[in-house]
Structures are given as structure tokens and as C-alpha cells.
């Protein structure tokens, strides 16, 4: 009974402080303003089809509207230290204090940054003023990078970061096992588990492919068992995954601290799901 009560309390706290990831589409700002409360933190993804300028511009707009915003800085989309310095100045000008650094999916690097580690090092050399810097984690592996290389890279990136946010994974035991390995490997950063919110299966796949969201979708297509776990009826719901992860919250053998919601711009439905979840776990 105590474990159930503790997990419920943790989930109630987590749902009150969820972060939403949005895509930099034409009407994203208007949808955010209409459906997302100012108390909800936002991150803005970066993808080659939209370009890094779309990410920076939307982040500036949302910040001026009063939101706490974390733009994604994609290493392979940034030309070099000069452009990075320019982006940092623009973000700090609107009081943005957090960034999320990824290697990125661009087929060719735009300049000197080939991966997240290179960009993190360059950022560290700047007087950037950010209080939070996030990096990516891959509970189910990466389609093109070996597990030993992922582990080595995570430790290297962790030196410059304050938290980890994972790519999409649909299996709670796999996420928990990975989080335990990360901590056992000496990485003590808090982990925010990335998961789709209240979005239809069809829209998830369509928007992911159209916007170049990244390796998680490519990996999903390569792993048939995982693909069917998500797309068969009843195969996935955010509430089911949250419930499976609940007992791990606050456990000393891992650093899972909360959830990071990939909204795919289904903001109204995602916020409705969050409010219902708050009501459920506050009883």
C-alpha cells in the first residue's frame, strides 16, 4: 500500500510540472497560446526541413509571450562558433535560460560541429548564461550508433549538462533498466522520459516523417516488434506508460525524475490528458 501511495504522490507532482515539446510550424505559437498554460514549460525542436532559424524564432516568440522555453540547438545545423554566439545572444535577449543540445539529423554538417559533444564544448567556452542544458538519451539504442559508443558519448556530454531527456521509447521496463545502467555508469543527471502525448498513431507517424523529428522514428521503423507494439489497437497510451514508470520515480537505483511530452502539436488533446491525469493522481 505504501509503495502505491508513494508512486501516486510522485505522479501527481510530475504531472503538475510536465514539459511539452512542440514543432516549429506556421501556427504553433497561436496553438500554444490558446491551449497551453504559462506554467507549462516548452521546448522547441529543430529539424532540417524547417531549419534552425525556425526554432530560434519560435522560441523568441513564445518567450516574449511569457513561456519558459527551451530551444533545441542541433549541432549539424549550426554553421560555426560565430552563428552559435549569435543564437545565444538572441535567446538571452528574451531571457531564455535553457537549451537542449542534440547532434541532429542533417545528412551533412553545416559547419564545424559534427555532434552534440562538439557543440557543448563550444557553448561551454561562451559566456552563455544558461542555467539548464539538456542532452539526449536513448533507452532502446540508436539505429546507427552502437550501445558502447552511446554510453561513452553520454558520459562525455554529461560533463556539460544538467539533465537528460530521452528519445521515444514505449516500454517501461526497458526505460527503467536503461536508467539504472546510466546511474551505475556514474552519470548522475536527472532523467526526463520522452513519450508521445495524446496523439493519434496515424498523426504521430505522418508528422514525424514529414518534419524530420529524428532517429526515434527511423529506429521504430527498423524494429518491427516495437512498431507493432505501438500501432496495434491498445498497444500504446501515454497513461499506460506513465503507470508502468510510476514505481521507478524516486527510486535510489535510477535518476528518473519526470516526463517530457512530445506533443506533435496536438496541444489541446495533450493538455486535456494532463488535466485528467492530475485529477486522477490527486485523489
Amino acid at each position: 500500500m505504501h509503495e502505491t501511495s508513494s508512486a501516486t504522490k510522485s505522479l501527481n507532482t510530475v504531472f503538475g510540472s510536465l514539459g511539452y515539446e512542440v514543432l516549429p510550424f506556421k501556427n504553433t505559437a497561436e496553438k500554444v497560446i490558446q491551449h497551453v498554460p504559462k506554467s507549462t514549460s516548452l521546448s522547441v525542436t529543430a529539424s532540417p526541413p524547417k531549419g534552425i532559424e525556425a526554432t530560434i524564432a519560435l522560441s523568441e516568440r513564445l518567450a516574449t509571450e511569457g513561456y519558459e522555453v527551451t530551444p533545441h540547438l542541433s549541432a549539424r545545423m549550426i554553421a560555426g562558433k560565430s552563428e552559435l554566439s549569435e543564437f545565444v545572444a538572441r535567446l538571452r535577449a528574451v531571457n531564455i535560460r535553457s537549451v537542449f543540445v542534440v547532434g541532429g539529423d542533417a545528412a551533412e554538417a553545416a559547419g564545424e560541429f559534427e555532434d552534440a559533444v562538439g557543440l557543448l564544448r563550444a557553448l561551454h567556452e561562451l559566456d552563455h548564461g544558461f542555467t539548464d542544458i539538456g542532452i539526449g538519451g536513448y533507452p532502446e539504442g540508436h539505429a546507427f550508433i552502437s550501445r558502447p559508443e552511446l554510453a561513452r558519448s553520454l558520459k562525455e556530454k554529461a560533463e556539460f549538462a544538467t539533465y537528460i531527456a530521452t528519445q521515444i521509447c514505449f516500454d517501461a521496463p526497458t526505460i527503467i533498466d536503461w536508467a539504472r545502467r546510466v546511474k551505475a555508469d556514474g552519470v548522475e543527471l536527472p532523467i526526463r522520459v520522452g513519450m508521445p502525448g495524446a496523439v493519434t498513431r496515424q498523426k504521430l507517424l505522418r508528422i514525424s516523417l514529414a518534419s524530420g523529428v529524428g532517429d526515434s522514428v527511423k529506429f521504430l521503423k527498423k524494429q518491427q516488434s516495437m512498431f507493432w507494439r505501438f500501432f496495434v489497437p491498445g498497444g500504446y497510451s501515454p497513461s499506460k506508460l506513465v503507470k508502468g514508470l510510476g514505481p521507478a520515480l524516486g527510486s535510489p537505483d535510477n535518476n528518473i525524475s519526470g516526463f517530457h511530452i512530445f506533443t506533435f502539436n496536438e496541444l489541446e488533446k495533450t493538455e486535456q490528458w494532463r488535466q485528467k491525469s492530475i485529477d486522477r493522481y490527486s485523489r
Side-chain angles (χ1 to χ4, degrees):
M1 180 66 69
H2 173 73
E3 290 182 358
T4 302
S5 175
S6 177
T8 299
K9 183 178 180 180
S10 295
L11 285 170
N12 183 45
T13 300
V14 166
F15 272 105
S17 59
L18 282 183
Y20 290 168
E21 181 171 305
V22 299
L23 304 168
F25 290 172
K26 182 178 180 180
N27 298 319
T28 300
E30 286 70 24
K31 287 185 177 182
V32 168
I33 293 166
Q34 183 177 359
H35 299 297
V36 181
K38 298 288 175 64
S39 58
T40 299
S41 62
L42 301 169
S43 64
V44 181
T45 191
S47 63
K50 296 298 177 182
I52 192 70
E53 175 60 31
T55 299
I56 301 299
L58 178 58
S59 298
E60 290 173 318
R61 167 75 190 283
L62 293 174
T64 59
E65 294 288 343
Y67 289 93
E68 181 182 326
V69 186
T70 299
H72 288 207
L73 297 182
S74 179
R76 296 176 66 81
M77 295 170 63
I78 296 176
K81 292 179 181 179
S82 177
E83 186 173 52
L84 175 63
S85 181
E86 175 191 333
F87 289 152
V88 168
R90 287 173 60 182
L91 297 175
R92 296 298 294 123
V94 291
N95 205 34
I96 287 176
R97 298 185 178 275
S98 174
V99 292
F100 187 75
V101 176
V102 295
D105 300 315
E108 295 185 7
E112 63 190 275
F113 303 126
E114 293 285 344
D115 53 28
V117 173
L119 185 64
L120 284 164
R121 287 175 176 152
L123 193 61
H124 182 68
E125 294 172 359
L126 295 173
D127 183 21
H128 57 69
F130 298 125
T131 56
D132 270 320
I133 297 178
I135 55 175
Y138 299 86
E140 216 142 12
H142 191 291
F144 313 110
I145 305 174
S146 70
R147 287 185 182 275
E149 177 64 16
L150 282 175
R152 184 201 62 76
S153 175
L154 186 64
K155 291 189 73 171
E156 196 171 2
K157 292 187 296 183
E159 296 180 16
F160 305 97
T162 58
Y163 71 92
I164 299 168
T166 77
Q167 283 284 13
I168 293 172
C169 179
F170 304 107
D171 186 68
T174 297
I175 295 168
I176 295 170
D177 287 346
W178 172 82
R180 287 171 177 161
R181 291 196 303 272
V182 168
K183 181 160 188 176
D185 203 27
V187 178
E188 293 287 350
L189 299 180
I191 296 171
R192 304 172 190 175
V193 176
M195 65 179 71
V199 57
T200 64
R201 297 168 173 86
Q202 293 80 6
K203 185 168 186 179
L204 173 61
L205 186 59
R206 185 176 71 251
I207 293 181
S208 299
L209 296 175
S211 62
V213 161
D215 292 327
S216 59
V217 174
K218 298 175 187 175
F219 187 80
L220 179 64
K221 293 176 71 180
K222 289 176 177 291
Q223 302 296 318
Q224 292 300 311
S225 63
M226 195 198 324
F227 182 93
W228 290 115
R229 185 187 307 143
F230 181 67
F231 283 95
V232 297
Y236 169 80
S237 77
S239 297
K240 183 190 297 184
L241 184 52
V242 164
K243 185 177 181 181
L245 291 166
L249 288 168
S251 175
D253 66 352
N254 72 80
N255 291 319
I256 296 176
S257 63
F259 311 123
H260 173 79
I261 305 301
F262 295 83
T263 68
F264 295 92
N265 289 13
E266 287 280 11
L267 295 168
E268 182 176 12
K269 290 180 180 179
T270 299
E271 180 59 18
Q272 289 172 350
W273 166 72
R274 184 178 77 94
Q275 292 298 335
K276 289 178 181 178
S277 297
I278 291 174
D279 291 342
R280 180 183 305 118
Y281 293 111
S282 64
R283 294 171 187 169

